[in-house]
Amino acid sequence: MLKAQWDAGKHFVKDRLDTLGESTNGPVRSFRPGEGTVVRAGGKPCAVHRDGRGGLHAVSAVCTQSLGCLVALNNAERTWECPCHGSRSGVDGEILQGPAHEPLEQVDPGEL
């Protein structure tokens, strides 16, 4: 149990440090269909994905489960997954698998 808590805390801090310097000006516009990542927009972490038809989906990258860890894209499943609790959301932010109960907050892709 201690190891699981340690891992969750490590993700909470590391994920935020890893995205501090990222800019959304170039990477988001150059995403090909199926690509996505977590970027900073307006100082907040956003999970951004371009679907197979070229549409851009953007949601808050902060998991709605208690710790608020940042989600990461599972390319094979095309889902956002929380490394702390294992919650899974679709690219539109809707919860596919808990323990999170609330969807990821929508972000206007035009703000990126």
Side-chain angles (χ1 to χ4, degrees), residues 53-74:
R53 289 179 258 154
L56 203 58
H57 301 270
V59 294
S60 170
V62 180
C63 180
T64 57
Q65 183 60 16
S66 60
L67 280 180
C69 293
L70 299 185
V71 297
L73 184 64
N74 175 332

Side-chain angles (χ1 to χ4, degrees), residues 18-66:
D18 284 348
T19 59
L20 283 179
E22 293 187 24
S23 167
T24 61
N25 292 337
V28 171
R29 290 187 181 99
S30 65
F31 282 175
R32 294 184 306 239
E35 291 184 334
T37 193
V38 174
V39 297
R40 287 245 177 228
K44 297 179 181 178
C46 296
V48 184
H49 176 266
R50 187 170 302 279
D51 67 26
R53 289 179 258 154
L56 203 58
H57 301 270
V59 294
S60 170
V62 180
C63 180
T64 57
Q65 183 60 16
S66 60

